[in-house]
Amino acid sequence: MGLSDGLLDANKKAMVINDCCNMIDSQLAAKSGISGIALRTAFAALKGVKPGYIPYVVEQLLQPCFSAIDPIWSEGMQQGDPVAHLVGSRSRTADALLSVTDTRVKNSSRSIVRGTYEKLRGSAKQHVEEAVPDLAKVIENYTKA
């Protein structure tokens, strides 16, 4: 069973989406300086696309993102600590996640989404790597036996 199967069942999906949205908000709140202001401003612009846009996007990205990181998580399962492995492989995890968002944005018809993403893409890997430990905790919360 892959991460998508376990995390996106009907009993968990809404909670996983909510926790991911809260994680994103926490990550943004922790950013400081000019880059933090830029990220929060960009995120506010995306929230303004339409009500509920961020949870909608998170829902759309969950399955492909979980599929992208499933091999890394599975390696960690074999080693006995998937959370530590995901965190220890944060560069590879970030690359896997960003490959999903790169594809999604490339195919987006919303110019504000494409433009905002393109402006922030250069620093995205660092930010995603910083978020991997929190993402790993969300995943662990819903995959515990």
Side-chain angles (χ1 to χ4, degrees), residues 3-131:
L3 284 176
S4 294
D5 300 325
L7 293 170
L8 298 179
D9 73 40
N11 297 320
K12 296 178 184 176
K13 187 175 182 179
M15 293 183 294
V16 172
I17 291 166
N18 187 58
D19 284 357
C20 287
C21 288
N22 289 337
M23 179 198 65
I24 292 167
D25 286 339
S26 295
Q27 287 289 317
L28 287 169
K31 302 292 180 193
S32 61
I34 293 172
S35 65
I37 292 168
L39 284 169
R40 285 187 293 278
T41 300
F43 199 72
L46 292 176
K47 282 183 172 181
V49 169
K50 68 179 181 179
Y53 185 67
I54 299 302
Y56 167 78
V57 171
V58 168
E59 180 178 10
Q60 298 302 306
L61 290 174
L62 281 181
Q63 189 280 324
C65 283
F66 289 153
S67 292
I69 64 172
D70 189 47
I72 304 165
W73 185 265
S74 294
E75 290 168 7
M77 291 288 291
Q78 292 172 359
Q79 295 173 6
D81 191 345
V83 171
H85 185 70
L86 200 67
V87 172
S89 303
R90 71 180 68 205
S91 177
R92 192 169 141 217
T93 301
D95 286 338
L97 294 169
L98 288 168
S99 72
V100 172
T101 57
D102 288 348
T103 299
R104 173 81 179 204
V105 169
K106 181 179 155 186
N107 296 323
S108 176
S109 62
R110 297 183 186 274
S111 60
I112 190 168
V113 171
R114 282 193 318 276
T116 301
Y117 188 82
E118 288 169 5
K119 287 178 187 170
L120 299 173
R121 180 55 176 94
S123 63
K125 184 170 180 180
Q126 173 191 342
H127 298 299
V128 175
E129 285 180 358
E130 291 169 359

Side-chain angles (χ1 to χ4, degrees), residues 126-139:
Q126 173 191 342
H127 298 299
V128 175
E129 285 180 358
E130 291 169 359
V132 168
D134 289 343
L135 176 63
K137 289 176 190 170
V138 169
I139 294 170

